[in-house]
Amino acid sequence: MSDAAIYAKFIDAIIADKVRVFGQAALERARQTPGLKLDDSVHTVIIHGNPKVVMKEILVQFEKIGGKVSSIMARKSLYNLKLKYPDIDLPDILK
C-alpha cells in the first residue's frame, strides 16, 4: 500500500471519529481543509500536496470546533492504525 493510501486511511479515520461527535459540522470543517477533497460519500479522501501537512491541517480545523481535546481524542482513535503502520510519519500533534 502506498504512503498516500495509508495517510488517506488515517485522515478518513479522523473524519469518521469527528463526524460521530460533531455531525455535519465536522464534514464542513473537513471540506475547508487545504489540500483535502472528500467525495459525497465521505469514504474517499483525496489528498493534494504533502499528506502529513494535510493531516495536521485537518486537526487544526477540528480544534476550531472542539478545542485541543479534539486532537487528543484523534490520537486515541488512531491507536490501531498506528500499530498497523508504525513507520508512517505522523504530525507531532498525533505522536
Side-chain angles (χ1 to χ4, degrees):
M1 181 176 293
S2 71
D3 280 356
I6 294 169
Y7 277 106
K9 281 182 171 268
F10 274 82
I11 291 171
D12 188 53
I14 292 169
I15 293 168
D17 181 62
K18 298 308 168 199
V19 166
R20 281 191 293 276
V21 176
F22 300 115
Q24 187 64 30
L27 291 177
E28 291 172 17
R29 285 292 176 177
R31 288 188 175 104
Q32 294 174 12
T33 303
L36 182 68
K37 180 174 168 67
L38 305 176
D39 74 356
D40 290 335
S41 70
V42 189
H43 297 294
T44 303
V45 173
I46 301 167
I47 303 168
H48 300 284
N50 183 328
K52 184 177 173 182
V53 171
V54 173
M55 190 180 298
K56 181 180 178 201
E57 288 301 317
I58 197 164
L59 292 168
V60 168
Q61 289 295 328
F62 289 138
E63 283 184 359
K64 290 178 182 177
I65 57 175
K68 288 282 186 191
V69 72
S70 183
S71 291
I72 294 167
M73 295 308 293
R75 188 179 317 135
K76 290 181 179 194
S77 72
L78 296 176
Y79 179 78
N80 288 332
L81 278 175
K82 291 187 330 187
L83 290 176
K84 188 172 182 178
Y85 303 105
D87 297 329
I88 200 74
D89 187 23
L90 297 173
D92 290 340
I93 198 167
L94 289 176
K95 293 181 181 175

